[in-house]
DNA sequence: GTGACATATGCCGATATCGGCATATAATGG
DNA sequence: CCATTATATGCCGATATCGGCATATGTCAC
């Protein structure tokens, strides 16, 4: 029995419940980008984005539920502003992979996709399962 | 006419076509995490993750289509390895928001969510739409 | 209060996602 | 060749997502 035992009951994992998902939607990112320049009322976003207002409101709702934006009532307007706090986990996660694109993998950039195991492991010819990942340690 | 003119034809934006989406799935992140320690054949991932093999293969497929992993044939095994290149756009995107959680918003950390516009703009009392985002320029 | 403005919501349909399962494909070993 | 191992795929059903539209809610102006 492996590690996590696999709870095979839910038809789907998470959804729009975390920052990762919220940000997976391009429009939502666009909204955040706009808000990063400063707070804006919905109408402003609607105008700039060129989307129907309900759509924008819905995206804002998702962003809000995830905590990526805060709202403030201003008369009959609702002013949204960025709250980058929940963006940090994402940053922390990707940052751990920084090494994989900066240097060291650089030269493999397109090469890895081209070369076959033939070319790559030409002399070794290992097909016994024992070798499969004998040297994980990078 | 605003900026993007809004193409109101598609029922959905992107999907599993970009790194943002691929990474929005927790299991997929988990797989990448495992692969960041070194390449692994599918079976290994299956064992560690405790998920049914088809599920893992499907997630790997998504990751592959987005370019986040590369595959190598090794006898009857398929060895997957991380390819962090397509993670960089994500990193670049979030990094731009770094300031929003590091300092300056730090002290507002939980406060912002608590205080209402009343408390916050107590003395100003602006409700005319002209002020709504007068000082965007941060 | 009535009406205009600003925004949020609800319902709908199309589509996409994800897991489950069976099965296809491919390579290996006897 | 056949069985086994390793992995990929296809189909299914449940559910979630997203846009479109109408409409509810709330606020301000008159």
């Amino acid at each position: 029995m492996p590690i996590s035992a696999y709870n095979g009951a839910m038809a789907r994992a998470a959804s729009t419940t975390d920052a990762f998902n919220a940000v997976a939607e391009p429009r939502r990112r666009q909204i955040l980008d706009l808000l990063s320049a400063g707070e804006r009322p919905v109408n402003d976003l609607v105008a700039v984005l060129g989307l129907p207002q309900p759509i924008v409101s819905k995206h804002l709702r998702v962003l809000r539920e995830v905590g990526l934006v805060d709202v403030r009532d201003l008369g009959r307007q609702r002013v949204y502003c960025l709250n980058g706090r929940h963006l940090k986990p994402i940053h922390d996660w990707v940052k751990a992979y920084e090494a994989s694109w900066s240097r060291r993998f650089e030269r493999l950039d397109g090469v890895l996709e081209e070369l076959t195991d033939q070319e790559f492991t030409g002399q070794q010819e290992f097909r016994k399962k024992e070798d499969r990942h004998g040297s994980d340690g990078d």
Side-chain angles (χ1 to χ4, degrees), chain A:
Chain A
M1 196 84 13
I3 284 190
S4 55
Y6 178 54
N7 170 11
M10 66 297 205
R12 211 184 190 191
S15 46
T16 334
T17 329
D18 65 338
F20 276 97
N21 265 285
V23 153
E25 172 64 54
R27 321 261 212 211
R28 239 120 59 183
R29 252 174 288 149
Q30 208 177 345
I31 291 179
L32 292 180
D33 287 342
L34 284 172
L35 291 181
S36 73
E39 54 177 34
R40 279 174 184 276
V42 180
N43 236 3
D44 252 45
L45 295 170
V46 169
V48 177
L49 293 167
L51 299 170
Q53 173 267 314
I55 308 288
V56 176
S57 277
K58 282 172 189 168
H59 281 311
L60 285 171
R61 187 175 201 231
V62 173
L63 291 172
R64 211 167 89 79
E65 283 175 346
V66 183
L68 283 173
V69 297
D70 290 310
V71 212
R72 184 165 55 98
D73 262 39
L74 185 68
R76 54 185 166 185
Q77 300 190 310
R78 307 209 75 193
V79 182
Y80 282 81
C81 69
L82 177 68
N83 184 343
R85 260 164 56 224
H86 292 85
L87 239 35
K88 182 166 160 49
I90 301 183
H91 181 261
D92 290 347
W93 184 79
V94 270
K95 193 171 170 50
Y97 290 87
E98 205 167 16
S100 66
W101 68 73
S102 56
R103 64 178 173 293
R104 177 180 122 190
F105 274 26
E106 216 159 42
R107 53 188 171 173
L108 298 179
D109 231 55
V111 193
L112 240 181
E113 288 166 327
E114 303 284 42
L115 60 86
T116 66
D117 54 325
Q118 290 282 86
E119 302 164 58
F120 189 60
T121 67
Q123 28 69 266
Q124 348 202 33
E125 273 287 303
F126 48 169
R127 32 172 107 69
K128 21 194 175 326
K129 62 195 317 194
E130 280 71 23
D131 311 275
R132 56 193 183 189
H133 59 287
S135 52
D136 275 300
D138 187 48

